[in-house]
Amino acid sequence: MPSDDRLQRYADLALRVGLNLQEGQPLVLSGSAESRPLLRALARSAYRLGARAVVVDLHDPALGRIDLEDVWEAYLDEVPDWFVQARVRAVDAGAAQLSLTDADPFLLRGVDPARLARRMQAAARARRPYLERVGAHKVNWLALGAATPAWARAVFPELAPDETTERLWEAIFATVRLDAPDPEAAWRDHVAALEARAATLNRARFAALIFEGPGTELRVGLAQRHVWKSAVAEAQNGVRFVPNLPTEEVFTAPDPERVEGVVTSTRPLNIGGTLVEGLRVTFAGGRAVELEAAQGLEAVRAVLATDAAAPRLGEVALVETPNPVFDRGRLFLNTLYDENAASHLAFGRAYPDTLGLAEGDDTALTAAGGNASTVHLDWMIGSPEVDVWGERADGARVPLMKRGRWVDAAR
Amino acid sequence: MPSDDRLQRYADLALRVGLNLQEGQPLVLSGSAESRPLLRALARSAYRLGARAVVVDLHDPALGRIDLEDVWEAYLDEVPDWFVQARVRAVDAGAAQLSLTDADPFLLRGVDPARLARRMQAAARARRPYLERVGAHKVNWLALGAATPAWARAVFPELAPDETTERLWEAIFATVRLDAPDPEAAWRDHVAALEARAATLNRARFAALIFEGPGTELRVGLAQRHVWKSAVAEAQNGVRFVPNLPTEEVFTAPDPERVEGVVTSTRPLNIGGTLVEGLRVTFAGGRAVELEAAQGLEAVRAVLATDAAAPRLGEVALVETPNPVFDRGRLFLNTLYDENAASHLAFGRAYPDTLGLAEGDDTALTAAGGNASTVHLDWMIGSPEVDVWGERADGARVPLMKRGRWVDAAR
Ligand SMILES: [Zn+2]
Ligand SMILES: [Zn+2]
Ligand SMILES: [Zn+2]
Ligand SMILES: [Zn+2]
């Protein structure tokens, strides 16, 4: 466990720079029971900032697994929404939402996939009213990492178990620049740089992006109404917040029908406990028509089989490398971190705000040329060996990234 | 930590003999995060019995203390009811309620008493709709002990910290007869014996009880409409259940105006972290008119100052000694256990069902001759040196307990 002092600094940074908790605002914290030391630091920090109330929703992942394995078949499709409704009421009362990302990436390994799918669907139905509100930014919210023993063992399988949690905390702290002389100032600068980058790209109005690197020759058409987004979001309550710590990306909506060529993933990805390595995808007319992988291909195929829009893209994100996440040189087995290591694509659903829309209306999303799939699967395609160009409507190309770094032309 | 096998047997006993969980009934478990191993065993056991769903409400006592100490003065009287309302919805949907009793008895030591009182009052207001439903036995419910390190250290201050939790588990298991050859059969016999005892006392219709022992010469008038209750309750959903494990008492409602004499407590009692020792109380006209104690008297006075009915009695309970709780020979610092060690009185509120009433109507409670105070403070007055008689309306006395044990005449 890190020192109380470092945990407290991490908590302060999260509430000030990330969540931007307002004086007099209630706060709901959620996380696994293993994360109590961080939750306590967050509660102290929140009260120091004048939180009206801090309510904590604790869960135990092992109980979640028991639920999956032991509930009778007859009740598998029913998940009570009592506690989800408590969180809905909290959001409707204006409470900020901070959820810890602290799960064991391999928690569900070995669970019967048919039971898992049914239970997950029932849980998603119960959670929908909550997730819709958060997705629509009804209040300021934050996803924040916390190292837990099971997660740390998965990330550092070669280390002695008692060293792993400490190592993961160090990695997490590094990704949020906690050891900068003034971490809060460092974050404000970083966020301003990402926002400036998104603004420049929005002015450029490229018709497509071109990626070139080892095993990659890809042209990603951008949606006509695409909007580049980055770190900052504005909630319906007027609070500007940074919903993810860390965040290194600028991202927008591809045209789900105009993606051509071949692309090779630059990092493995974890799909529910299965590691996919060496993924190579060929696109034609926006659709993934050919898939190869050195390992784990079936897990990708299962996701892409979810619905008709799943094998098409919903997000393209540019991430400069190196950066504090990439520098860890290792997979976190968690999207909050891994998607910030390098430029990436996502199969499936687009973020409505990357098409200038609010969350919640799939008809509008489709009409605006966005992907309305129910899945969203990020995978990394950037590295210090990959170049990126922006292509204008007239076919002229502007270099954006050389060997993973932004070139001045993009500024 | 006890072996998985013993925890599982404890969980099975609790759900079958205590809660009497029905096939197809949902279940809400609550307890501190320290008690996850027992909560997991309970969830497994519940699903084996065909629970429709098991939902777990975890809390962290340290977060409760941070809340008390750090919330701004302006917000001290506000406690959000979002999660209480989730439990209300669960009760209304028919979910059984199992709450672990696992708190650190000294958790709130040193908290500013004025802040504590205001915060407790606000929390009680928020919890009222839930507690009313449970008090009215809307569904079957259970209070069940679980050893936690902080509680165990308080109970066994003389032992090395790493031995205390194990010792407290052993004590808890002994109080519920877990090591009987067939614990479930032992419980059914024990419960039947308590029920028979209550039935006999109900037939006898005593006007008063007389207690005699070292420092005790007390006459406790019984309410005219008094009903003796014991282990079993029947919920509004028709399920018969044993709400407390352990339970050794038969109890009823005294007449708050007819208590005379002097009584000396036979065990210390813990009031929010203050230990009261050698409490000696003189009653006149039902009211405690004189109080002495070797230690902790102020804590008693504070409780009795709560309202006008607080210095009068609301419960008298007969507990045979020795018994498995008494045999531990030590204070558990927790009412669930300590009140089952010996015969006891309670200052304050009467249980409506000991006056033949349902919970929730204070006017009816007062009209029936019951104590409608807002507090309820149990204190032990029985021991193997105390004798108890029942006194009929005509003044005839029937011996009930000699040297702490039931005499045949009472059967
Ligand atoms: Zn992304
Ligand atoms: Zn994404
Ligand atoms: Zn009692
Ligand atoms: Zn009592």
Side-chain angles (χ1 to χ4, degrees), chain A residues 130-176:
Chain A
Y130 176 71
L131 294 179
E132 275 176 8
R133 281 166 171 80
V134 170
H137 298 178
K138 187 154 184 190
V139 290
N140 40 330
W141 60 271
L142 175 64
L144 184 72
T148 48
W151 179 18
R153 276 194 303 273
V155 175
F156 300 103
E158 78 285 9
L159 292 187
D162 58 323
E163 294 171 35
T164 55
T165 311
E166 200 66 31
R167 279 288 291 277
L168 184 54
W169 274 120
E170 288 310 314
I172 287 173
F173 291 157
T175 66
V176 297

Tab-separated table of all heavy atoms in Angstrom, chain A residues 130-176:
chain	number	residue	atom	x	y	z
A	130	TYR	N	-28.922	4.246	-15.071
A	130	TYR	CA	-27.751	4.907	-14.487
A	130	TYR	C	-26.738	5.260	-15.568
A	130	TYR	O	-26.276	6.407	-15.658
A	130	TYR	CB	-27.119	4.003	-13.431
A	130	TYR	CG	-25.847	4.584	-12.868
A	130	TYR	CD1	-25.889	5.693	-12.022
A	130	TYR	CD2	-24.606	4.061	-13.211
A	130	TYR	CE1	-24.725	6.257	-11.521
A	130	TYR	CE2	-23.435	4.620	-12.709
A	130	TYR	CZ	-23.499	5.713	-11.875
A	130	TYR	OH	-22.350	6.273	-11.387
A	131	LEU	N	-26.403	4.285	-16.417
A	131	LEU	CA	-25.367	4.509	-17.428
A	131	LEU	C	-25.792	5.570	-18.446
A	131	LEU	O	-24.960	6.339	-18.919
A	131	LEU	CB	-25.026	3.192	-18.127
A	131	LEU	CG	-24.358	2.164	-17.205
A	131	LEU	CD1	-24.076	0.866	-17.949
A	131	LEU	CD2	-23.051	2.726	-16.613
A	132	GLU	N	-27.080	5.616	-18.761
A	132	GLU	CA	-27.553	6.655	-19.682
A	132	GLU	C	-27.308	8.047	-19.106
A	132	GLU	O	-26.860	8.944	-19.817
A	132	GLU	CB	-29.046	6.478	-19.957
A	132	GLU	CG	-29.321	5.485	-21.073
A	132	GLU	CD	-30.809	5.232	-21.281
A	132	GLU	OE1	-31.638	5.943	-20.647
A	132	GLU	OE2	-31.129	4.324	-22.063
A	133	ARG	N	-27.601	8.186	-17.808
A	133	ARG	CA	-27.397	9.503	-17.194
A	133	ARG	C	-25.921	9.888	-17.177
A	133	ARG	O	-25.560	11.036	-17.439
A	133	ARG	CB	-27.944	9.484	-15.761
A	133	ARG	CG	-29.462	9.630	-15.713
A	133	ARG	CD	-29.982	9.269	-14.326
A	133	ARG	NE	-31.388	9.590	-14.173
A	133	ARG	CZ	-32.393	8.841	-14.636
A	133	ARG	NH1	-32.136	7.740	-15.323
A	133	ARG	NH2	-33.647	9.210	-14.434
A	134	VAL	N	-25.069	8.927	-16.853
A	134	VAL	CA	-23.638	9.227	-16.824
A	134	VAL	C	-23.126	9.491	-18.233
A	134	VAL	O	-22.378	10.447	-18.476
A	134	VAL	CB	-22.858	8.078	-16.143
A	134	VAL	CG1	-21.357	8.260	-16.312
A	134	VAL	CG2	-23.217	8.013	-14.660
A	135	GLY	N	-23.572	8.662	-19.193
A	135	GLY	CA	-23.160	8.844	-20.595
A	135	GLY	C	-23.576	10.207	-21.125
A	135	GLY	O	-22.868	10.817	-21.929
A	136	ALA	N	-24.730	10.688	-20.665
A	136	ALA	CA	-25.224	11.998	-21.105
A	136	ALA	C	-24.605	13.130	-20.284
A	136	ALA	O	-24.968	14.287	-20.465
A	136	ALA	CB	-26.743	12.040	-20.995
A	137	HIS	N	-23.670	12.796	-19.374
A	137	HIS	CA	-22.985	13.806	-18.550
A	137	HIS	C	-23.988	14.639	-17.752
A	137	HIS	O	-23.859	15.853	-17.662
A	137	HIS	CB	-22.119	14.727	-19.415
A	137	HIS	CG	-21.018	13.996	-20.131
A	137	HIS	ND1	-20.153	14.614	-20.986
A	137	HIS	CD2	-20.635	12.705	-20.112
A	137	HIS	CE1	-19.302	13.732	-21.476
A	137	HIS	NE2	-19.575	12.564	-20.951
A	138	LYS	N	-24.968	13.953	-17.194
A	138	LYS	CA	-25.947	14.677	-16.379
A	138	LYS	C	-25.257	15.358	-15.195
A	138	LYS	O	-25.653	16.430	-14.761
A	138	LYS	CB	-27.031	13.709	-15.893
A	138	LYS	CG	-28.137	14.426	-15.188
A	138	LYS	CD	-29.484	13.740	-15.220
A	138	LYS	CE	-30.451	14.700	-14.530
A	138	LYS	NZ	-31.738	14.159	-14.241
A	139	VAL	N	-24.249	14.708	-14.649
A	139	VAL	CA	-23.396	15.290	-13.593
A	139	VAL	C	-21.940	15.033	-13.967
A	139	VAL	O	-21.650	14.226	-14.848
A	139	VAL	CB	-23.658	14.633	-12.205
A	139	VAL	CG1	-25.022	15.022	-11.660
A	139	VAL	CG2	-23.511	13.120	-12.282
A	140	ASN	N	-21.040	15.704	-13.289
A	140	ASN	CA	-19.617	15.426	-13.463
A	140	ASN	C	-19.285	14.066	-12.864
A	140	ASN	O	-19.803	13.696	-11.820
A	140	ASN	CB	-18.759	16.535	-12.842
A	140	ASN	CG	-19.281	17.057	-11.509
A	140	ASN	OD1	-20.496	17.055	-11.263
A	140	ASN	ND2	-18.389	17.498	-10.641
A	141	TRP	N	-18.426	13.298	-13.578
A	141	TRP	CA	-18.093	11.951	-13.140
A	141	TRP	C	-16.636	11.657	-13.458
A	141	TRP	O	-15.993	12.367	-14.238
A	141	TRP	CB	-19.025	10.905	-13.769
A	141	TRP	CG	-19.008	10.854	-15.266
A	141	TRP	CD1	-19.796	11.585	-16.111
A	141	TRP	CD2	-18.165	10.046	-16.100
A	141	TRP	NE1	-19.502	11.272	-17.416
A	141	TRP	CE2	-18.513	10.330	-17.440
A	141	TRP	CE3	-17.164	9.104	-15.839
A	141	TRP	CZ2	-17.875	9.716	-18.524
A	141	TRP	CZ3	-16.528	8.490	-16.914
A	141	TRP	CH2	-16.889	8.801	-18.243
A	142	LEU	N	-16.128	10.587	-12.866
A	142	LEU	CA	-14.709	10.250	-13.059
A	142	LEU	C	-14.490	8.749	-12.918
A	142	LEU	O	-15.037	8.118	-12.012
A	142	LEU	CB	-13.854	10.970	-12.001
A	142	LEU	CG	-12.352	10.646	-11.975
A	142	LEU	CD1	-11.663	11.094	-13.267
A	142	LEU	CD2	-11.677	11.299	-10.771
A	143	ALA	N	-13.702	8.188	-13.845
A	143	ALA	CA	-13.193	6.815	-13.705
A	143	ALA	C	-11.736	6.921	-13.283
A	143	ALA	O	-10.947	7.587	-13.947
A	143	ALA	CB	-13.312	6.061	-15.022
A	144	LEU	N	-11.389	6.290	-12.175
A	144	LEU	CA	-10.058	6.453	-11.578
A	144	LEU	C	-9.506	5.081	-11.187
A	144	LEU	O	-10.214	4.276	-10.585
A	144	LEU	CB	-10.200	7.325	-10.317
A	144	LEU	CG	-8.917	7.690	-9.596
A	144	LEU	CD1	-8.128	8.717	-10.405
A	144	LEU	CD2	-9.218	8.240	-8.202
A	145	GLY	N	-8.246	4.838	-11.502
A	145	GLY	CA	-7.650	3.534	-11.205
A	145	GLY	C	-7.246	3.378	-9.747
A	145	GLY	O	-6.879	4.343	-9.084
A	146	ALA	N	-7.336	2.153	-9.253
A	146	ALA	CA	-6.843	1.804	-7.915
A	146	ALA	C	-6.253	0.402	-7.998
A	146	ALA	O	-6.912	-0.531	-8.471
A	146	ALA	CB	-7.976	1.839	-6.890
A	147	ALA	N	-5.020	0.252	-7.548
A	147	ALA	CA	-4.354	-1.051	-7.640
A	147	ALA	C	-4.940	-2.006	-6.608
A	147	ALA	O	-5.037	-1.673	-5.433
A	147	ALA	CB	-2.856	-0.889	-7.406
A	148	THR	N	-5.357	-3.175	-7.061
A	148	THR	CA	-5.816	-4.233	-6.151
A	148	THR	C	-4.919	-5.447	-6.374
A	148	THR	O	-4.320	-5.601	-7.446
A	148	THR	CB	-7.279	-4.600	-6.446
A	148	THR	OG1	-7.435	-4.804	-7.856
A	148	THR	CG2	-8.217	-3.489	-6.008
A	149	PRO	N	-4.793	-6.324	-5.361
A	149	PRO	CA	-3.866	-7.457	-5.489
A	149	PRO	C	-4.122	-8.331	-6.728
A	149	PRO	O	-3.174	-8.706	-7.435
A	149	PRO	CB	-4.094	-8.234	-4.188
A	149	PRO	CG	-4.538	-7.185	-3.199
A	149	PRO	CD	-5.373	-6.222	-4.001
A	150	ALA	N	-5.383	-8.630	-7.012
A	150	ALA	CA	-5.654	-9.532	-8.135
A	150	ALA	C	-5.290	-8.882	-9.471
A	150	ALA	O	-4.712	-9.530	-10.357
A	150	ALA	CB	-7.125	-9.949	-8.134
A	151	TRP	N	-5.616	-7.612	-9.601
A	151	TRP	CA	-5.259	-6.902	-10.835
A	151	TRP	C	-3.732	-6.844	-10.969
A	151	TRP	O	-3.177	-7.117	-12.046
A	151	TRP	CB	-5.890	-5.496	-10.815
A	151	TRP	CG	-5.574	-4.648	-12.010
A	151	TRP	CD1	-5.097	-5.067	-13.226
A	151	TRP	CD2	-5.733	-3.223	-12.100
A	151	TRP	NE1	-4.952	-3.990	-14.068
A	151	TRP	CE2	-5.327	-2.847	-13.412
A	151	TRP	CE3	-6.175	-2.238	-11.227
A	151	TRP	CZ2	-5.351	-1.520	-13.843
A	151	TRP	CZ3	-6.201	-0.915	-11.662
A	151	TRP	CH2	-5.791	-0.567	-12.958
A	152	ALA	N	-3.063	-6.523	-9.869
A	152	ALA	CA	-1.605	-6.371	-9.918
A	152	ALA	C	-0.915	-7.688	-10.273
A	152	ALA	O	0.052	-7.708	-11.043
A	152	ALA	CB	-1.099	-5.842	-8.573
A	153	ARG	N	-1.429	-8.795	-9.758
A	153	ARG	CA	-0.836	-10.095	-10.110
A	153	ARG	C	-1.000	-10.387	-11.600
A	153	ARG	O	-0.117	-10.972	-12.223
A	153	ARG	CB	-1.489	-11.221	-9.290
A	153	ARG	CG	-0.879	-11.393	-7.910
A	153	ARG	CD	-1.316	-12.708	-7.275
A	153	ARG	NE	-2.765	-12.821	-7.174
A	153	ARG	CZ	-3.490	-12.354	-6.149
A	153	ARG	NH1	-2.888	-11.737	-5.136
A	153	ARG	NH2	-4.797	-12.505	-6.125
A	154	ALA	N	-2.113	-9.968	-12.156
A	154	ALA	CA	-2.336	-10.197	-13.588
A	154	ALA	C	-1.383	-9.356	-14.436
A	154	ALA	O	-0.910	-9.800	-15.490
A	154	ALA	CB	-3.784	-9.883	-13.951
A	155	VAL	N	-1.067	-8.151	-13.970
A	155	VAL	CA	-0.194	-7.255	-14.733
A	155	VAL	C	1.278	-7.655	-14.592
A	155	VAL	O	2.057	-7.534	-15.534
A	155	VAL	CB	-0.396	-5.790	-14.284
A	155	VAL	CG1	0.593	-4.861	-14.985
A	155	VAL	CG2	-1.829	-5.340	-14.570
A	156	PHE	N	1.654	-8.122	-13.410
A	156	PHE	CA	3.058	-8.459	-13.134
A	156	PHE	C	3.195	-9.930	-12.747
A	156	PHE	O	3.630	-10.238	-11.625
A	156	PHE	CB	3.609	-7.582	-12.000
A	156	PHE	CG	3.580	-6.103	-12.292
A	156	PHE	CD1	2.610	-5.282	-11.735
A	156	PHE	CD2	4.539	-5.531	-13.129
A	156	PHE	CE1	2.591	-3.913	-11.982
A	156	PHE	CE2	4.524	-4.160	-13.389
A	156	PHE	CZ	3.552	-3.349	-12.822
A	157	PRO	N	2.859	-10.840	-13.644
A	157	PRO	CA	2.846	-12.263	-13.254
A	157	PRO	C	4.232	-12.772	-12.873
A	157	PRO	O	4.346	-13.775	-12.169
A	157	PRO	CB	2.319	-12.973	-14.512
A	157	PRO	CG	2.562	-12.028	-15.637
A	157	PRO	CD	2.484	-10.651	-15.055
A	158	GLU	N	5.291	-12.071	-13.303
A	158	GLU	CA	6.641	-12.565	-13.052
A	158	GLU	C	7.179	-12.137	-11.678
A	158	GLU	O	8.208	-12.636	-11.237
A	158	GLU	CB	7.585	-12.100	-14.164
A	158	GLU	CG	8.058	-10.648	-14.083
A	158	GLU	CD	6.992	-9.613	-14.494
A	158	GLU	OE1	5.810	-10.010	-14.676
A	158	GLU	OE2	7.341	-8.427	-14.614
A	159	LEU	N	6.467	-11.224	-11.008
A	159	LEU	CA	6.955	-10.724	-9.712
A	159	LEU	C	6.389	-11.543	-8.560
A	159	LEU	O	5.361	-12.210	-8.694
A	159	LEU	CB	6.548	-9.265	-9.513
A	159	LEU	CG	7.189	-8.217	-10.423
A	159	LEU	CD1	6.783	-6.819	-9.956
A	159	LEU	CD2	8.715	-8.336	-10.407
A	160	ALA	N	7.049	-11.452	-7.403
A	160	ALA	CA	6.514	-12.080	-6.192
A	160	ALA	C	5.203	-11.371	-5.838
A	160	ALA	O	5.109	-10.147	-5.951
A	160	ALA	CB	7.510	-11.940	-5.055
A	161	PRO	N	4.189	-12.149	-5.418
A	161	PRO	CA	2.867	-11.566	-5.166
A	161	PRO	C	2.884	-10.346	-4.247
A	161	PRO	O	2.122	-9.408	-4.453
A	161	PRO	CB	2.098	-12.722	-4.530
A	161	PRO	CG	2.756	-13.958	-5.042
A	161	PRO	CD	4.208	-13.608	-5.224
A	162	ASP	N	3.778	-10.331	-3.245
A	162	ASP	CA	3.732	-9.210	-2.310
A	162	ASP	C	4.357	-7.928	-2.870
A	162	ASP	O	4.266	-6.878	-2.270
A	162	ASP	CB	4.396	-9.606	-0.987
A	162	ASP	CG	5.827	-10.035	-1.194
A	162	ASP	OD1	6.098	-10.682	-2.233
A	162	ASP	OD2	6.677	-9.723	-0.350
A	163	GLU	N	4.997	-8.033	-4.052
A	163	GLU	CA	5.575	-6.824	-4.662
A	163	GLU	C	4.649	-6.200	-5.698
A	163	GLU	O	4.822	-5.043	-6.083
A	163	GLU	CB	6.882	-7.156	-5.393
A	163	GLU	CG	8.004	-7.595	-4.483
A	163	GLU	CD	9.177	-8.111	-5.321
A	163	GLU	OE1	9.418	-7.573	-6.430
A	163	GLU	OE2	9.831	-9.059	-4.869
A	164	THR	N	3.693	-7.005	-6.189
A	164	THR	CA	2.973	-6.583	-7.384
A	164	THR	C	2.077	-5.375	-7.142
A	164	THR	O	2.024	-4.471	-7.978
A	164	THR	CB	2.120	-7.741	-7.934
A	164	THR	OG1	1.266	-8.199	-6.894
A	164	THR	CG2	2.977	-8.879	-8.412
A	165	THR	N	1.367	-5.349	-6.009
A	165	THR	CA	0.410	-4.257	-5.789
A	165	THR	C	1.142	-2.928	-5.705
A	165	THR	O	0.719	-1.931	-6.300
A	165	THR	CB	-0.416	-4.508	-4.514
A	165	THR	OG1	-0.920	-5.834	-4.569
A	165	THR	CG2	-1.584	-3.553	-4.416
A	166	GLU	N	2.261	-2.934	-4.993
A	166	GLU	CA	3.077	-1.723	-4.883
A	166	GLU	C	3.524	-1.239	-6.277
A	166	GLU	O	3.453	-0.046	-6.590
A	166	GLU	CB	4.295	-2.037	-4.008
A	166	GLU	CG	4.972	-0.835	-3.410
A	166	GLU	CD	4.064	-0.119	-2.407
A	166	GLU	OE1	3.232	-0.782	-1.738
A	166	GLU	OE2	4.192	1.110	-2.323
A	167	ARG	N	3.933	-2.193	-7.107
A	167	ARG	CA	4.391	-1.842	-8.458
A	167	ARG	C	3.273	-1.238	-9.303
A	167	ARG	O	3.479	-0.286	-10.057
A	167	ARG	CB	4.957	-3.091	-9.163
A	167	ARG	CG	6.363	-3.428	-8.770
A	167	ARG	CD	7.370	-2.422	-9.354
A	167	ARG	NE	7.477	-2.529	-10.797
A	167	ARG	CZ	8.238	-3.403	-11.432
A	167	ARG	NH1	8.994	-4.253	-10.756
A	167	ARG	NH2	8.268	-3.434	-12.748
A	168	LEU	N	2.077	-1.816	-9.164
A	168	LEU	CA	0.956	-1.281	-9.951
A	168	LEU	C	0.589	0.120	-9.476
A	168	LEU	O	0.303	1.006	-10.284
A	168	LEU	CB	-0.247	-2.229	-9.887
A	168	LEU	CG	-1.453	-1.821	-10.747
A	168	LEU	CD1	-1.068	-1.598	-12.217
A	168	LEU	CD2	-2.559	-2.867	-10.643
A	169	TRP	N	0.625	0.338	-8.153
A	169	TRP	CA	0.381	1.709	-7.658
A	169	TRP	C	1.388	2.685	-8.248
A	169	TRP	O	1.025	3.770	-8.702
A	169	TRP	CB	0.480	1.760	-6.123
A	169	TRP	CG	-0.774	1.418	-5.395
A	169	TRP	CD1	-0.953	0.396	-4.502
A	169	TRP	CD2	-2.040	2.104	-5.456
A	169	TRP	NE1	-2.246	0.389	-4.017
A	169	TRP	CE2	-2.936	1.428	-4.582
A	169	TRP	CE3	-2.508	3.207	-6.175
A	169	TRP	CZ2	-4.263	1.839	-4.408
A	169	TRP	CZ3	-3.824	3.609	-6.006
A	169	TRP	CH2	-4.686	2.935	-5.135
A	170	GLU	N	2.659	2.274	-8.279
A	170	GLU	CA	3.674	3.176	-8.834
A	170	GLU	C	3.380	3.484	-10.294
A	170	GLU	O	3.515	4.636	-10.742
A	170	GLU	CB	5.072	2.581	-8.678
A	170	GLU	CG	5.584	2.601	-7.240
A	170	GLU	CD	5.437	3.975	-6.592
A	170	GLU	OE1	5.782	4.993	-7.235
A	170	GLU	OE2	4.933	4.047	-5.448
A	171	ALA	N	2.954	2.462	-11.033
A	171	ALA	CA	2.644	2.668	-12.449
A	171	ALA	C	1.457	3.623	-12.593
A	171	ALA	O	1.480	4.539	-13.424
A	171	ALA	CB	2.332	1.320	-13.111
A	172	ILE	N	0.438	3.409	-11.769
A	172	ILE	CA	-0.758	4.275	-11.831
A	172	ILE	C	-0.387	5.722	-11.512
A	172	ILE	O	-0.792	6.658	-12.210
A	172	ILE	CB	-1.837	3.746	-10.853
A	172	ILE	CG1	-2.467	2.474	-11.414
A	172	ILE	CG2	-2.882	4.810	-10.566
A	172	ILE	CD1	-3.412	1.765	-10.464
A	173	PHE	N	0.398	5.897	-10.459
A	173	PHE	CA	0.795	7.259	-10.079
A	173	PHE	C	1.601	7.926	-11.197
A	173	PHE	O	1.441	9.122	-11.468
A	173	PHE	CB	1.607	7.245	-8.781
A	173	PHE	CG	0.810	6.866	-7.559
A	173	PHE	CD1	1.439	6.354	-6.428
A	173	PHE	CD2	-0.569	7.024	-7.525
A	173	PHE	CE1	0.704	6.013	-5.295
A	173	PHE	CE2	-1.316	6.683	-6.401
A	173	PHE	CZ	-0.671	6.182	-5.283
A	174	ALA	N	2.468	7.149	-11.859
A	174	ALA	CA	3.264	7.723	-12.946
A	174	ALA	C	2.370	8.185	-14.092
A	174	ALA	O	2.596	9.247	-14.690
A	174	ALA	CB	4.291	6.699	-13.451
A	175	THR	N	1.321	7.402	-14.401
A	175	THR	CA	0.466	7.783	-15.529
A	175	THR	C	-0.281	9.087	-15.276
A	175	THR	O	-0.699	9.744	-16.222
A	175	THR	CB	-0.593	6.701	-15.861
A	175	THR	OG1	-1.512	6.585	-14.779
A	175	THR	CG2	0.052	5.366	-16.160
A	176	VAL	N	-0.482	9.438	-14.005
A	176	VAL	CA	-1.192	10.703	-13.734
A	176	VAL	C	-0.224	11.802	-13.289
A	176	VAL	O	-0.654	12.809	-12.732
A	176	VAL	CB	-2.329	10.534	-12.701
A	176	VAL	CG1	-3.394	9.595	-13.236
A	176	VAL	CG2	-1.818	10.078	-11.352
